[in-house]
Amino acid sequence: MSLAKRIIPCLDVDNGRVVKGVQFVDIRDAGDPVEVAKRYNEQGADEITFLDIKATHDNRGTMVDVVEAVASQVFIPLTVGGGIRTVEDIRQMLNAGADKVGINSAAVSNPEFVRQATQKFGSQCIVVAIDAKCVSAEGEPKRWEIFTHGGRKPTGIDAIEWAKKMADFGAGEILLTSMDRDGTKSGFDLDLTRAVSDAVAVPVIASGGVGELQDLTDGVKIGRADAVLAASIFHFGEHTVQQAKQQMADQGIEVRL
Amino acid sequence: MQRVAVIDYGMGNLRSVSKALEAVGDNVEVEVTSDPEKILAASHVVFPGQGAIGACMAELKRLGLTDVIQTVAAHKPFLGICIGMQLLLSHSDENEGVHGLDIFTGNVRHFDLPAAEDGSHLKVPHMGWNEVHQTAEHPLWHDIEQDSRFYFVHSYFAVPDDVQVTAATTAYPDSFTSAIYRDNIFAVQFHPEKSHHAGLQLLSNFLNWDGQL
């Protein structure tokens, strides 16, 4: 027995509420972040990630309040991402009670920021978030590029090379989202996940596309992810974190039950 | 009433530690502080830490806290967490070699994990929930099940010279020392403040501990 694979529910937060913008779900409001985080914690979530979906100045202030409220009641690791651009942003989130911050666009526009951040706060709290899209034509060897600004802006940077570079710059973990799969409920991009996981020494969190519990197991077994992140399958009571873990355990994956 | 000093030397998320202590203590005053007077006056001392050990040691020296820690570690209930455990050893290989507080003789080493034949490999940092196998009876293990999982995040681990000080081991994939103890000192590589029920139980045990074995 050894290290457990992690399940990380992700909470998209806007204006102090958990929201989920999935096309075919009408209920956009998924609840109060503290209540949702407590529920997931009781279900056995290994960590919780908050994503500030607007990343505006006003939303940032609300996010700090959310993190403070959750951190005084939920004693598992908390990650905050979305609009983290400066050392001051990181300090503010850590002081509010976050354990890790996710850096995405700011890493692309200034990779040195990741190095600075890891030197200042330690690798353990810097997660580099990568949004990748498959850009190879059919029949070609698969190739992925990274996109920024919520997947809208292409960068021309190869996703595998970028993940390696970020690990070299001190990132303690990679949060890897497939833009092709995000919101589709068709499962993780397992080729992408495995390619990145094998390429870097640091843990990789698979994200984007979870539609059923088997997807989580596949992410670990086939994609070789160290952790799996999902949002919508947990938000509306379709599945609990506990069910997800039981399903993974039944297929021989070590989890914390 | 317990007065807990959480030693603040600018490294790591001290808010998590203080919030967790407040959550489990009925009648406890928790202060995050770098003031030697307050640390010396506390009933219980928590020595946390995150980040690079070289920077941690440099800050402790700059703040004049190394002697204070030696003093309180000699008689008060004292809990080291993560880098706060590693700093108690004589030496660490991190940052091209750093001398620690030498309260426990031994070294701190990096995980060296080769890839398997199929290309898969265990990751460093060792991050997530792993089992803590208690190897010694101790008041801080009270009501914590054998092999409970705690949250870890670290790339280096302590190798004490004297195996008698080991209070727990964890496998990644080889067994390493995940907790050490002696007299009034207990120190853990994992993060009890982030380890839900088991972690909070350990912190509660610490607050109720008089430092005696």
Side-chain angles (χ1 to χ4, degrees), chain A residues 1-4 41 46-47 75-77 94-96 98-100 124 173 197 200-202 224 226 254 256, chain B residues 13 15-16 19-20 23 50-51 118 120-121 123-124 127 129-131 149 151 153 171-172 193-196:
Chain A
M1 300 298 270
S2 75
L3 184 66
N41 182 37
D46 296 306
E47 300 186 18
F75 298 99
I76 59 174
L94 296 181
N95 284 343
D99 300 283
K100 314 182 201 180
Q124 83 290 336
E173 200 170 25
S197 189
V200 297
V202 300
R224 291 180 178 168
D226 301 283
E254 189 147 351
R256 165 182 160 255
Chain B
N13 184 3
R15 196 188 147 85
S16 293
K19 282 285 155 202
Q50 280 186 344
D118 67 355
S120 66
H121 51 121
K123 302 304 180 73
V124 179
M127 186 186 286
W129 299 79
N130 205 338
E131 291 176 345
R149 287 187 188 273
Y151 187 81
V153 49
Y172 195 66
E193 76 281 10
K194 286 287 148 186
S195 298
H196 197 37

Side-chain angles (χ1 to χ4, degrees), chain B residues 7-208:
Chain B
I7 301 176
D8 178 12
Y9 53 109
M11 312 303 285
N13 184 3
L14 304 176
R15 196 188 147 85
S16 293
V17 179
S18 61
K19 282 285 155 202
L21 287 163
E22 281 164 7
V24 296
D26 284 336
N27 189 16
V28 56
E29 188 182 290
V30 182
E31 187 151 28
V32 176
T33 180
S34 58
D35 181 347
E37 296 298 318
K38 287 182 176 160
I39 297 168
L40 292 166
S43 64
H44 291 64
V45 175
V46 178
F47 182 38
Q50 280 186 344
I53 200 165
C56 287
M57 199 63 204
E59 270 307 287
L60 285 178
K61 284 183 182 158
R62 191 183 69 81
L63 292 163
L65 289 175
T66 55
D67 289 348
V68 176
I69 291 169
Q70 296 282 3
T71 304
V72 294
H75 65 280
K76 286 182 201 291
F78 184 97
L79 177 64
I81 298 174
C82 195
I83 302 280
M85 168 183 177
Q86 296 180 5
L87 282 163
L88 302 181
L89 279 288
S90 318
H91 181 269
S92 169
D93 291 344
E94 193 178 353
N95 304 126
E96 280 123 39
V98 173
H99 287 285
L101 295 166
D102 200 21
I103 292 171
F104 290 83
T105 56
N107 194 21
V108 177
R109 292 211 324 248
H110 193 259
F111 282 110
D112 183 17
L113 307 174
E117 273 178 21
D118 67 355
S120 66
H121 51 121
L122 288 176
K123 302 304 180 73
V124 179
H126 169 227
M127 186 186 286
W129 299 79
N130 205 338
E131 291 176 345
V132 170
H133 186 73
Q134 301 160 23
T135 57
E137 287 205 15
H138 196 282
L140 265 66
W141 294 136
H142 175 69
D143 270 354
I144 296 174
E145 263 182 60
Q146 178 63 295
D147 298 323
S148 290
R149 287 187 188 273
F150 287 83
Y151 187 81
F152 287 82
V153 49
H154 62 124
S155 301
Y156 290 79
F157 60 97
V159 185
D161 287 348
D162 178 5
V163 293
Q164 299 293 320
V165 305
T166 299
T169 58
T170 295
Y172 195 66
D174 297 334
S175 175
F176 69 90
T177 298
S178 51
I180 53 175
Y181 76 111
R182 191 179 62 222
D183 305 329
N184 55 300
I185 304 172
F186 196 84
V188 294
Q189 179 58 65
F190 51 83
H191 289 271
E193 76 281 10
K194 286 287 148 186
S195 298
H196 197 37
H197 291 314
L200 296 177
Q201 180 65 46
L202 191 143
L203 293 177
S204 169
N205 293 342
F206 175 67
L207 293 178
N208 291 321

